[in-house]
Amino acid sequence: MDEIEVVVAHSERATLRAGDVFLKVDADQARIDVEVEAMSLAPVPTPEVLWRKPPVLAIAAVPGTVLGRLGEPSAASSAAWASAGAVIRRLHEAPLPPWPGRRRRGPDELAAELDVECELLVTNGVLPADLVTRNRRVAEAALRPWTPVFTHGDLQIDHVFVDGDEVTGIIDWSEAGRGNALFDLATLTLGHEENLDDVISGYGPDVDLDVIRAWWSLRSLLGVRWLVEHGFDPFAPGCEVDVLRSRM
């Protein structure tokens, strides 16, 4: 080990890499509790928990490479994306976890949050009104009841690791719980619309693609201000603002 790598760091939590060990520092112990329990219950490849000493959780590195990164073309094969879809289906068909999940719990709560966020985006000059209005209309399709499943809750593309065409592990389970299956699928394919068909080929055909596209708009609208305030750049090519612009 030659150095310590800061993987991600902001006011809520930080993740460091030391050789083949990841150290997750989180002041919210409930989030770590969820992560450890979710990894023990999920019927999919997850990292090995090495030790835990609050506020630090140590986990082993997952073999392979990330499926891709937001804002960059994915080098993974179509078969790897399909494998990711199949693994996610296995998670969604597993018994529900005993906790409700940390994400929004229903369409009414989600709609109220979205309306407030859209107003702030426009009044604070973060995004132009026409872009927000158009994507708010697109997002409407996601604001409907759903049957809860065991979800990852933050299934970003760089949380899925592959080796060749096989999934070797899924990381960062702190948002796992009972949630919306299409939110997971939309999070994975955000900014990678060209890979959606491959994911669905592995996941199964009983998926409403319009609702996934609606979640792309919804997640992006809700995320832009948080990303800016925490030092990330949603305006970078291929990222959240470009996802919103693609709906115009």
Side-chain angles (χ1 to χ4, degrees), residues 111-129 131-137 139 217-218 221-222 225:
E113 181 181 357
L114 181 61
D115 287 340
V116 170
E117 192 62 32
C118 287
E119 182 177 356
L120 289 171
L121 287 170
V122 174
T123 57
N124 292 342
V126 180
L127 293 175
L131 184 64
V132 172
T133 300
R134 168 59 181 161
N135 279 276
R136 176 62 180 82
R137 286 199 296 266
S217 290
L218 200 158
L221 287 169
L222 291 179
R225 276 197 323 117

mmCIF file of all heavy atoms in Angstrom, residues 111-129 131-137 139 217-218 221-222 225:
data_model
loop_
_atom_site.group_PDB
_atom_site.id
_atom_site.type_symbol
_atom_site.label_atom_id
_atom_site.label_comp_id
_atom_site.label_asym_id
_atom_site.label_seq_id
_atom_site.Cartn_x
_atom_site.Cartn_y
_atom_site.Cartn_z
ATOM 1 N N ALA A 111 -44.156 13.545 -4.804
ATOM 2 C CA ALA A 111 -44.666 14.668 -5.604
ATOM 3 C C ALA A 111 -44.496 15.987 -4.868
ATOM 4 O O ALA A 111 -44.117 17.006 -5.464
ATOM 5 C CB ALA A 111 -46.128 14.431 -5.953
ATOM 6 N N ALA A 112 -44.772 15.982 -3.564
ATOM 7 C CA ALA A 112 -44.617 17.205 -2.781
ATOM 8 C C ALA A 112 -43.165 17.660 -2.748
ATOM 9 O O ALA A 112 -42.863 18.848 -2.913
ATOM 10 C CB ALA A 112 -45.143 16.976 -1.363
ATOM 11 N N GLU A 113 -42.260 16.712 -2.554
ATOM 12 C CA GLU A 113 -40.831 17.044 -2.548
ATOM 13 C C GLU A 113 -40.387 17.573 -3.906
ATOM 14 O O GLU A 113 -39.623 18.542 -4.006
ATOM 15 C CB GLU A 113 -40.018 15.821 -2.171
ATOM 16 C CG GLU A 113 -38.515 16.088 -2.108
ATOM 17 C CD GLU A 113 -37.705 14.852 -1.744
ATOM 18 O OE1 GLU A 113 -38.310 13.798 -1.481
ATOM 19 O OE2 GLU A 113 -36.468 14.959 -1.734
ATOM 20 N N LEU A 114 -40.880 16.938 -4.964
ATOM 21 C CA LEU A 114 -40.511 17.354 -6.315
ATOM 22 C C LEU A 114 -40.992 18.766 -6.615
ATOM 23 O O LEU A 114 -40.258 19.565 -7.210
ATOM 24 C CB LEU A 114 -41.087 16.360 -7.324
ATOM 25 C CG LEU A 114 -40.777 16.623 -8.792
ATOM 26 C CD1 LEU A 114 -39.277 16.594 -9.059
ATOM 27 C CD2 LEU A 114 -41.489 15.580 -9.678
ATOM 28 N N ASP A 115 -42.222 19.100 -6.210
ATOM 29 C CA ASP A 115 -42.752 20.439 -6.467
ATOM 30 C C ASP A 115 -41.912 21.507 -5.774
ATOM 31 O O ASP A 115 -41.606 22.553 -6.362
ATOM 32 C CB ASP A 115 -44.212 20.524 -5.998
ATOM 33 C CG ASP A 115 -45.153 19.760 -6.905
ATOM 34 O OD1 ASP A 115 -44.784 19.487 -8.068
ATOM 35 O OD2 ASP A 115 -46.269 19.427 -6.451
ATOM 36 N N VAL A 116 -41.528 21.240 -4.533
ATOM 37 C CA VAL A 116 -40.691 22.199 -3.800
ATOM 38 C C VAL A 116 -39.342 22.353 -4.482
ATOM 39 O O VAL A 116 -38.836 23.468 -4.674
ATOM 40 C CB VAL A 116 -40.509 21.738 -2.341
ATOM 41 C CG1 VAL A 116 -39.441 22.585 -1.638
ATOM 42 C CG2 VAL A 116 -41.824 21.824 -1.586
ATOM 43 N N GLU A 117 -38.748 21.229 -4.886
ATOM 44 C CA GLU A 117 -37.425 21.274 -5.501
ATOM 45 C C GLU A 117 -37.459 21.995 -6.839
ATOM 46 O O GLU A 117 -36.555 22.786 -7.159
ATOM 47 C CB GLU A 117 -36.881 19.858 -5.670
ATOM 48 C CG GLU A 117 -35.409 19.796 -6.023
ATOM 49 C CD GLU A 117 -34.520 20.388 -4.950
ATOM 50 O OE1 GLU A 117 -34.860 20.307 -3.757
ATOM 51 O OE2 GLU A 117 -33.452 20.942 -5.319
ATOM 52 N N CYS A 118 -38.476 21.754 -7.636
ATOM 53 C CA CYS A 118 -38.588 22.422 -8.938
ATOM 54 C C CYS A 118 -38.697 23.938 -8.766
ATOM 55 O O CYS A 118 -38.076 24.716 -9.515
ATOM 56 C CB CYS A 118 -39.795 21.886 -9.706
ATOM 57 S SG CYS A 118 -39.566 20.217 -10.370
ATOM 58 N N GLU A 119 -39.462 24.352 -7.780
ATOM 59 C CA GLU A 119 -39.594 25.787 -7.525
ATOM 60 C C GLU A 119 -38.259 26.396 -7.119
ATOM 61 O O GLU A 119 -37.879 27.481 -7.591
ATOM 62 C CB GLU A 119 -40.644 26.027 -6.436
ATOM 63 C CG GLU A 119 -40.869 27.512 -6.147
ATOM 64 C CD GLU A 119 -41.965 27.744 -5.126
ATOM 65 O OE1 GLU A 119 -42.599 26.771 -4.692
ATOM 66 O OE2 GLU A 119 -42.173 28.929 -4.750
ATOM 67 N N LEU A 120 -37.499 25.698 -6.281
ATOM 68 C CA LEU A 120 -36.199 26.208 -5.847
ATOM 69 C C LEU A 120 -35.206 26.262 -7.001
ATOM 70 O O LEU A 120 -34.410 27.204 -7.100
ATOM 71 C CB LEU A 120 -35.646 25.327 -4.724
ATOM 72 C CG LEU A 120 -36.361 25.435 -3.380
ATOM 73 C CD1 LEU A 120 -35.859 24.368 -2.422
ATOM 74 C CD2 LEU A 120 -36.165 26.834 -2.780
ATOM 75 N N LEU A 121 -35.243 25.260 -7.867
ATOM 76 C CA LEU A 121 -34.331 25.249 -9.012
ATOM 77 C C LEU A 121 -34.541 26.478 -9.896
ATOM 78 O O LEU A 121 -33.576 27.052 -10.419
ATOM 79 C CB LEU A 121 -34.545 23.978 -9.832
ATOM 80 C CG LEU A 121 -34.026 22.677 -9.221
ATOM 81 C CD1 LEU A 121 -34.527 21.488 -10.018
ATOM 82 C CD2 LEU A 121 -32.501 22.665 -9.159
ATOM 83 N N VAL A 122 -35.797 26.884 -10.059
ATOM 84 C CA VAL A 122 -36.108 28.029 -10.926
ATOM 85 C C VAL A 122 -35.864 29.345 -10.198
ATOM 86 O O VAL A 122 -35.181 30.244 -10.717
ATOM 87 C CB VAL A 122 -37.564 27.939 -11.422
ATOM 88 C CG1 VAL A 122 -37.934 29.199 -12.209
ATOM 89 C CG2 VAL A 122 -37.756 26.700 -12.299
ATOM 90 N N THR A 123 -36.399 29.482 -8.985
ATOM 91 C CA THR A 123 -36.280 30.766 -8.277
ATOM 92 C C THR A 123 -34.835 31.090 -7.914
ATOM 93 O O THR A 123 -34.450 32.260 -7.847
ATOM 94 C CB THR A 123 -37.135 30.766 -6.997
ATOM 95 O OG1 THR A 123 -36.743 29.672 -6.153
ATOM 96 C CG2 THR A 123 -38.611 30.622 -7.344
ATOM 97 N N ASN A 124 -34.016 30.061 -7.692
ATOM 98 C CA ASN A 124 -32.602 30.299 -7.373
ATOM 99 C C ASN A 124 -31.717 30.370 -8.609
ATOM 100 O O ASN A 124 -30.497 30.518 -8.499
ATOM 101 C CB ASN A 124 -32.076 29.190 -6.457
ATOM 102 C CG ASN A 124 -32.699 29.233 -5.076
ATOM 103 O OD1 ASN A 124 -33.263 30.246 -4.670
ATOM 104 N ND2 ASN A 124 -32.601 28.137 -4.339
ATOM 105 N N GLY A 125 -32.318 30.249 -9.790
ATOM 106 C CA GLY A 125 -31.566 30.375 -11.032
ATOM 107 C C GLY A 125 -30.630 29.222 -11.322
ATOM 108 O O GLY A 125 -29.668 29.370 -12.080
ATOM 109 N N VAL A 126 -30.909 28.065 -10.742
ATOM 110 C CA VAL A 126 -30.037 26.910 -10.972
ATOM 111 C C VAL A 126 -30.254 26.334 -12.358
ATOM 112 O O VAL A 126 -29.303 25.990 -13.075
ATOM 113 C CB VAL A 126 -30.278 25.823 -9.899
ATOM 114 C CG1 VAL A 126 -29.373 24.613 -10.143
ATOM 115 C CG2 VAL A 126 -30.060 26.383 -8.507
ATOM 116 N N LEU A 127 -31.526 26.242 -12.759
ATOM 117 C CA LEU A 127 -31.889 25.711 -14.074
ATOM 118 C C LEU A 127 -32.964 26.589 -14.689
ATOM 119 O O LEU A 127 -33.769 27.193 -13.972
ATOM 120 C CB LEU A 127 -32.423 24.275 -13.945
ATOM 121 C CG LEU A 127 -31.443 23.189 -13.496
ATOM 122 C CD1 LEU A 127 -32.185 21.864 -13.298
ATOM 123 C CD2 LEU A 127 -30.305 23.018 -14.488
ATOM 124 N N PRO A 128 -33.017 26.657 -16.022
ATOM 125 C CA PRO A 128 -34.059 27.457 -16.680
ATOM 126 C C PRO A 128 -35.444 26.850 -16.482
ATOM 127 O O PRO A 128 -35.599 25.622 -16.372
ATOM 128 C CB PRO A 128 -33.648 27.437 -18.153
ATOM 129 C CG PRO A 128 -32.737 26.278 -18.298
ATOM 130 C CD PRO A 128 -32.061 26.079 -16.987
ATOM 131 N N ALA A 129 -36.456 27.712 -16.459
ATOM 132 C CA ALA A 129 -37.814 27.280 -16.155
ATOM 133 C C ALA A 129 -38.340 26.270 -17.161
ATOM 134 O O ALA A 129 -39.032 25.313 -16.787
ATOM 135 C CB ALA A 129 -38.736 28.497 -16.096
ATOM 136 N N LEU A 131 -36.746 24.022 -18.890
ATOM 137 C CA LEU A 131 -36.126 22.713 -18.671
ATOM 138 C C LEU A 131 -36.773 22.016 -17.468
ATOM 139 O O LEU A 131 -37.075 20.810 -17.512
ATOM 140 C CB LEU A 131 -34.624 22.884 -18.430
ATOM 141 C CG LEU A 131 -33.802 21.605 -18.281
ATOM 142 C CD1 LEU A 131 -33.804 20.792 -19.564
ATOM 143 C CD2 LEU A 131 -32.360 21.939 -17.880
ATOM 144 N N VAL A 132 -37.003 22.774 -16.410
ATOM 145 C CA VAL A 132 -37.621 22.209 -15.209
ATOM 146 C C VAL A 132 -39.061 21.812 -15.489
ATOM 147 O O VAL A 132 -39.502 20.713 -15.124
ATOM 148 C CB VAL A 132 -37.546 23.213 -14.050
ATOM 149 C CG1 VAL A 132 -38.351 22.715 -12.848
ATOM 150 C CG2 VAL A 132 -36.093 23.460 -13.653
ATOM 151 N N THR A 133 -39.803 22.674 -16.162
ATOM 152 C CA THR A 133 -41.218 22.403 -16.436
ATOM 153 C C THR A 133 -41.389 21.165 -17.301
ATOM 154 O O THR A 133 -42.241 20.308 -17.023
ATOM 155 C CB THR A 133 -41.869 23.608 -17.125
ATOM 156 O OG1 THR A 133 -41.768 24.751 -16.260
ATOM 157 C CG2 THR A 133 -43.333 23.337 -17.427
ATOM 158 N N ARG A 134 -40.584 21.043 -18.345
ATOM 159 C CA ARG A 134 -40.678 19.883 -19.226
ATOM 160 C C ARG A 134 -40.376 18.588 -18.467
ATOM 161 O O ARG A 134 -41.114 17.598 -18.568
ATOM 162 C CB ARG A 134 -39.713 20.048 -20.401
ATOM 163 C CG ARG A 134 -39.485 18.796 -21.243
ATOM 164 C CD ARG A 134 -40.770 18.264 -21.840
ATOM 165 N NE ARG A 134 -40.538 17.055 -22.614
ATOM 166 C CZ ARG A 134 -41.482 16.176 -22.954
ATOM 167 N NH1 ARG A 134 -42.748 16.388 -22.590
ATOM 168 N NH2 ARG A 134 -41.181 15.107 -23.658
ATOM 169 N N ASN A 135 -39.317 18.591 -17.676
ATOM 170 C CA ASN A 135 -38.949 17.377 -16.962
ATOM 171 C C ASN A 135 -39.900 17.076 -15.816
ATOM 172 O O ASN A 135 -40.101 15.896 -15.477
ATOM 173 C CB ASN A 135 -37.508 17.474 -16.469
ATOM 174 C CG ASN A 135 -36.507 17.135 -17.562
ATOM 175 O OD1 ASN A 135 -36.202 15.971 -17.806
ATOM 176 N ND2 ASN A 135 -36.016 18.165 -18.247
ATOM 177 N N ARG A 136 -40.517 18.101 -15.240
ATOM 178 C CA ARG A 136 -41.548 17.852 -14.224
ATOM 179 C C ARG A 136 -42.727 17.105 -14.850
ATOM 180 O O ARG A 136 -43.300 16.209 -14.216
ATOM 181 C CB ARG A 136 -42.006 19.178 -13.602
ATOM 182 C CG ARG A 136 -43.160 19.040 -12.603
ATOM 183 C CD ARG A 136 -42.762 18.191 -11.420
ATOM 184 N NE ARG A 136 -43.836 18.051 -10.452
ATOM 185 C CZ ARG A 136 -44.847 17.183 -10.540
ATOM 186 N NH1 ARG A 136 -44.890 16.367 -11.594
ATOM 187 N NH2 ARG A 136 -45.767 17.110 -9.608
ATOM 188 N N ARG A 137 -43.064 17.449 -16.088
ATOM 189 C CA ARG A 137 -44.144 16.735 -16.782
ATOM 190 C C ARG A 137 -43.747 15.295 -17.076
ATOM 191 O O ARG A 137 -44.541 14.370 -16.908
ATOM 192 C CB ARG A 137 -44.528 17.460 -18.077
ATOM 193 C CG ARG A 137 -45.318 18.739 -17.871
ATOM 194 C CD ARG A 137 -46.042 19.145 -19.140
ATOM 195 N NE ARG A 137 -45.118 19.471 -20.217
ATOM 196 C CZ ARG A 137 -44.694 20.706 -20.493
ATOM 197 N NH1 ARG A 137 -45.108 21.723 -19.752
ATOM 198 N NH2 ARG A 137 -43.857 20.925 -21.479
ATOM 199 N N ALA A 139 -41.626 13.520 -15.410
ATOM 200 C CA ALA A 139 -41.527 12.814 -14.127
ATOM 201 C C ALA A 139 -42.879 12.364 -13.604
ATOM 202 O O ALA A 139 -42.957 11.448 -12.768
ATOM 203 C CB ALA A 139 -40.841 13.714 -13.098
ATOM 204 N N SER A 217 -35.758 11.696 -15.137
ATOM 205 C CA SER A 217 -36.051 13.119 -14.939
ATOM 206 C C SER A 217 -36.231 13.439 -13.466
ATOM 207 O O SER A 217 -35.684 14.431 -12.950
ATOM 208 C CB SER A 217 -37.316 13.518 -15.718
ATOM 209 O OG SER A 217 -37.087 13.512 -17.105
ATOM 210 N N LEU A 218 -36.971 12.594 -12.771
ATOM 211 C CA LEU A 218 -37.288 12.854 -11.374
ATOM 212 C C LEU A 218 -36.026 12.839 -10.514
ATOM 213 O O LEU A 218 -35.779 13.752 -9.725
ATOM 214 C CB LEU A 218 -38.302 11.810 -10.904
ATOM 215 C CG LEU A 218 -39.121 12.120 -9.658
ATOM 216 C CD1 LEU A 218 -40.388 11.285 -9.643
ATOM 217 C CD2 LEU A 218 -38.325 11.884 -8.397
ATOM 218 N N LEU A 221 -33.871 15.955 -11.285
ATOM 219 C CA LEU A 221 -34.423 17.183 -10.715
ATOM 220 C C LEU A 221 -34.170 17.258 -9.210
ATOM 221 O O LEU A 221 -33.817 18.315 -8.678
ATOM 222 C CB LEU A 221 -35.927 17.268 -10.990
ATOM 223 C CG LEU A 221 -36.343 17.591 -12.429
ATOM 224 C CD1 LEU A 221 -37.839 17.379 -12.602
ATOM 225 C CD2 LEU A 221 -35.952 19.018 -12.812
ATOM 226 N N LEU A 222 -34.346 16.137 -8.519
ATOM 227 C CA LEU A 222 -34.158 16.126 -7.079
ATOM 228 C C LEU A 222 -32.684 16.175 -6.673
ATOM 229 O O LEU A 222 -32.370 16.557 -5.541
ATOM 230 C CB LEU A 222 -34.810 14.884 -6.469
ATOM 231 C CG LEU A 222 -36.335 14.826 -6.502
ATOM 232 C CD1 LEU A 222 -36.833 13.526 -5.888
ATOM 233 C CD2 LEU A 222 -36.950 16.028 -5.784
ATOM 234 N N ARG A 225 -29.438 20.245 -7.006
ATOM 235 C CA ARG A 225 -29.019 21.190 -5.955
ATOM 236 C C ARG A 225 -28.142 20.504 -4.913
ATOM 237 O O ARG A 225 -27.145 21.067 -4.459
ATOM 238 C CB ARG A 225 -30.241 21.814 -5.277
ATOM 239 C CG ARG A 225 -30.824 22.996 -6.004
ATOM 240 C CD ARG A 225 -31.741 23.831 -5.134
ATOM 241 N NE ARG A 225 -32.540 23.049 -4.215
ATOM 242 C CZ ARG A 225 -32.458 23.143 -2.881
ATOM 243 N NH1 ARG A 225 -31.603 23.973 -2.321
ATOM 244 N NH2 ARG A 225 -33.234 22.400 -2.103
#
